Amino acid sequence: MSLWLRSCQRCYLNSVLTPRGFQCVRNRWRGELQSHAAVRRCCSTVHGEVRVRFAPSPTGFLHLGGLRTALYNYIFAKKYGGAFILRLEDTDQSRLVPGAAESIEDMLEWAGIPPDESPRRGGPVGPYLQSQRLDLYSQTAQQLVKSGHAYYCFCSPQRLELLKKEALRSGQTPRYDNRCRHLRADQVQEKLAQGTSHVIRFRLEEGVEPFQDLIFGWNRHEVAQVEGDPVVIKADGFPTYHLANIVDDHYMKISHVLRGSEWLISTSKHLLMYQALGWKPPTFGHLPLLMNKDGSKLSKRQGDIFIQSFQRDGILPEALLDITTNCGSGFNTNRIGRRIAELISEFNPSKITTHSALLDLEKLPEFNRIHLQQRIEDEDQCILLIKDLQEQIQQAYAAEIQEDEVLHEDYIRRVLQLRKGHISSLKELVSPDYSYLWVRPSVSSQQVAALTAEAQHIASLVLKYVVLLTLTVFTLLYTHSLSRIMSISVSQGPSVAEMMVSLGPAEISHRFQKLMLLSETS
């Protein structure tokens, strides 16, 4: 498969993507490429296997945007025989949400895209929690200080706040004025000896080289012209994202960074850090944003975009993966019903566009209906559905179930086979509309007598036809009202034919035998 490099046609024509990474197989313009470091970087061979990572912050639970980023990383890794790593960036200790770290990994496993290496699974380049790698960040920051690429900053929070207010008052973008960059060595040592609170800032330099993004093409952002020197180690000793992510990507041997396009502008800054440390950067690809169908930004405050809420509402993970890829790009086809193996097979990086993916959640029930039907038609998956539905029935109708025949596997299997293609989730089958499937009607002899004096005769006819499996239209017409009351305890609902087919001969026989007893009593 050809490697896509949107703005580097020469590289595109002479490169292939192998299971071990991107490799330039022929280069007729070697002299020209050597004259430009950025072009040379975009064509460089990726040594070793493909390794990608999903690195969320456990300051909240996994939502659809995060799931989509994880999914593209997972598909990329599996497409090219690589590894998918989960790394939790928990350095912002003040904003950590209890249980979020465990839940993120739980949801990835539930979605069917489990990491190969993670805090839970371990791996050769752990730990996979940033809070357990503080020494590594400190050592790297000291390396930058010693080489002159970083410096100690002693500015107080009050001074920084004044700078911010002054910039806003004058209509400018707030930025640090790099004041401590100019401190003499003896001044620095004196403040350190006094125990003055400080951070470490990275020294931004002008002259950023352009880089080739796998999706957005050539990019270059002169960050030194619009930003102050960024903090890389905070006063509490924890690193900021900018330092921690490049340190971890380097030591975890990440070959490709696939992340949201909101980080595209920061990439030049990160590349300056790679250059200062003498490290080879990974290949970057920035995924277009996932947005609402009206073009507005997905918001965590919407509440319904968290994966746990979809799981709770009976949405299948395959349906979520399908709809988040169906509304985007990067695949050879764009059809409903694709499962993870098909997504991997049909993945085509050259088809990833820069346009935002517009997500229409109103279509999710239709996606879920199709994937539920596929599960019902798969024997192994159907057994799991039966067990799930058994639990839901017991929870919903525990006090009303008179006998456990309605919980038998064969009975539930028939219900699923008959209703596939008509229901969007298992939860529908335990709704009041389908209660007749699980709860036998409770009727009195007075109710039967009030309906018709021929109840016993009609019941015996129905039983005869049930035994012979010849429920004729004639019988149904004459037993419509009686059949309904013996199927469910309300006068409205599904058609008699639908109810009787769903219940099956054995259950219909049982209910009409009960009717005959009631008729005799009356």
Side-chain angles (χ1 to χ4, degrees):
M1 174 182 289
S2 295
L3 163 64
W4 81 105
L5 289 172
R6 297 188 183 281
S7 303
C8 188
Q9 185 69 16
R10 300 168 182 173
C11 303
Y12 174 84
L13 293 173
N14 297 289
S15 58
V16 295
L17 183 50
T18 73
R20 295 186 60 80
F22 297 112
Q23 297 183 350
C24 190
V25 295
R26 185 164 54 92
N27 185 359
R28 283 181 271 178
W29 299 279
R30 185 177 303 275
E32 287 186 45
L33 291 176
Q34 287 177 343
S35 68
H36 201 300
V39 176
R40 187 166 63 248
R41 183 165 58 244
C42 84
C43 282
S44 61
T45 299
V46 175
H47 300 287
E49 67 176 347
V50 168
R51 289 174 61 83
V52 296
R53 48 77 164 176
F54 174 53
S57 171
T59 53
F61 295 93
L62 186 63
H63 56 84
L64 271 177
L67 178 68
R68 177 173 174 268
T69 299
L71 174 60
Y72 273 82
N73 276 276
Y74 179 89
I75 291 174
F76 190 92
K78 301 310 169 185
K79 179 76 173 185
Y80 305 118
F84 171 55
I85 295 102
L86 171 65
R87 183 178 74 225
L88 295 178
E89 301 190 342
D90 62 342
T91 55
D92 192 346
Q93 295 286 294
S94 64
R95 296 177 56 227
L96 296 183
V97 173
E102 295 78 10
S103 177
I104 288 172
E105 192 155 1
D106 287 342
M107 290 301 96
L108 291 179
E109 293 176 354
W110 172 80
I113 52 173
D116 300 299
E117 303 168 25
S118 69
R120 181 177 299 168
R121 294 171 180 255
V125 293
Y128 295 87
L129 283 171
Q130 286 189 338
S131 59
Q132 297 175 4
R133 301 168 64 87
L134 298 184
D135 288 345
L136 189 58
Y137 308 131
S138 178
Q139 292 169 12
T140 306
Q142 290 302 319
Q143 179 181 342
L144 288 171
V145 170
K146 290 178 180 177
S147 64
H149 290 98
Y151 59 90
Y152 294 101
C153 173
F154 302 95
C155 291
S156 66
Q158 293 78 11
R159 179 178 187 273
L160 297 176
E161 184 63 25
L162 286 174
L163 283 176
K164 179 179 178 180
K165 289 182 178 179
E166 180 60 31
L168 292 174
R169 188 162 39 244
S170 59
Q172 298 177 347
T173 302
R175 56 184 292 187
Y176 178 56
D177 60 0
N178 299 345
R179 176 182 180 181
C180 290
R181 175 195 278 218
H182 308 292
L183 291 176
R184 300 190 310 272
D186 61 313
Q187 293 175 310
V188 172
Q189 291 304 316
E190 180 181 356
K191 289 182 178 294
L192 290 176
Q194 293 172 350
T196 305
S197 177
H198 62 274
V199 300
I200 297 179
R201 292 182 181 271
F202 179 72
R203 189 188 298 265
L204 292 179
E205 302 292 352
E206 295 187 4
V208 174
E209 289 184 350
F211 68 94
Q212 178 75 31
D213 187 84
L214 297 177
I215 298 168
F216 282 80
W218 288 107
N219 271 265
R220 181 174 178 271
H221 302 280
E222 278 290 0
V223 286
Q225 294 180 1
V226 295
E227 297 183 32
D229 292 338
V231 174
V232 291
I233 295 289
K234 295 178 287 186
D236 60 4
F238 280 79
T240 61
Y241 170 84
H242 301 297
L243 177 67
N245 93 90
I246 70 163
V247 171
D248 288 340
D249 286 346
H250 173 72
Y251 285 104
M252 291 182 177
K253 302 176 182 178
I254 300 301
S255 63
H256 299 79
V257 172
L258 304 180
R259 58 188 180 186
S261 58
E262 67 269 25
W263 293 108
L264 183 61
I265 293 178
S266 298
T267 305
S268 288
K269 184 186 325 182
H270 299 159
L271 289 172
L272 284 174
M273 293 185 187
Y274 276 106
Q275 183 178 348
L277 290 164
W279 294 345
K280 178 182 177 181
T283 302
F284 290 93
H286 289 85
L287 300 168
L289 295 178
L290 182 66
M291 309 186 79
N292 293 312
K293 66 176 181 179
D294 62 0
S296 62
K297 186 176 180 181
L298 281 179
S299 171
K300 298 177 184 178
R301 288 187 291 274
Q302 291 176 227
D304 58 355
I305 68 167
F306 290 99
I307 307 307
Q308 285 178 315
S309 67
F310 293 108
Q311 180 191 38
R312 187 169 53 247
D313 292 341
I315 299 300
L316 298 175
E318 308 96 283
L320 274 184
L321 301 187
D322 195 5
I323 196 170
T324 54
T325 52
N326 185 274
C327 72
S329 56
F331 300 87
N332 289 326
T333 66
N334 191 33
R335 56 187 174 82
I336 300 178
R338 296 172 300 175
R339 288 170 284 188
I340 188 63
E342 295 167 294
L343 291 174
I344 294 170
S345 174
E346 296 181 12
F347 181 59
N348 185 345
S350 67
K351 292 185 177 293
I352 300 179
T353 69
T354 60
H355 304 299
S356 296
L358 302 182
L359 178 67
D360 185 359
L361 286 177
E362 292 180 0
K363 295 180 179 179
L364 186 54
E366 174 65 9
F367 279 79
N368 213 54
R369 182 188 66 79
I370 292 172
H371 283 280
L372 179 58
Q373 180 172 343
Q374 290 179 350
R375 279 201 178 192
I376 292 172
E377 293 170 350
D378 181 282
E379 178 59 26
D380 293 337
Q381 291 292 328
C382 188
I383 291 175
L384 296 177
L385 290 176
I386 291 170
K387 292 180 179 178
D388 187 358
L389 189 51
Q390 286 171 333
E391 294 178 0
Q392 292 192 42
I393 295 167
Q394 288 175 312
Q395 290 175 2
Y397 299 105
E400 302 171 75
I401 296 176
Q402 299 168 355
E403 298 180 41
D404 64 358
E405 284 92 340
V406 295
L407 296 175
H408 287 177
E409 180 179 317
D410 289 343
Y411 178 73
I412 294 180
R413 184 190 302 275
R414 185 177 69 252
V415 170
L416 289 173
Q417 291 293 338
L418 288 170
R419 300 315 301 156
K420 70 181 180 183
H422 299 281
I423 57 174
S424 296
S425 73
L426 287 187
K427 291 174 73 71
E428 289 183 38
L429 290 177
V430 293
S431 68
D433 288 344
Y434 286 98
S435 62
Y436 70 90
L437 291 169
W438 325 116
V439 180
R440 287 170 176 167
S442 178
V443 294
S444 66
S445 57
Q446 289 80 7
Q447 286 177 291
V448 174
L451 181 64
T452 177
E454 300 295 324
Q456 187 175 22
H457 176 63
I458 294 174
S460 64
L461 283 176
V462 173
L463 282 172
K464 175 183 177 181
Y465 283 107
V466 168
V467 172
L468 297 175
L469 296 178
T470 56
L471 292 174
T472 63
V473 175
F474 176 81
T475 305
L476 287 174
L477 290 173
Y478 276 88
T479 61
H480 182 279
S481 297
L482 189 57
S483 297
R484 177 173 294 281
I485 199 171
M486 291 314 299
S487 299
I488 57 176
S489 300
V490 295
S491 59
Q492 301 296 323
S495 67
V496 173
E498 178 183 329
M499 288 189 295
M500 297 182 80
V501 171
S502 297
L503 290 170
E507 182 63 18
I508 290 293
S509 297
H510 182 98
R511 297 189 184 193
F512 275 95
Q513 286 170 356
K514 181 179 179 181
L515 173 62
M516 293 179 70
L517 293 175
L518 287 172
S519 299
E520 292 174 358
T521 302
S522 62

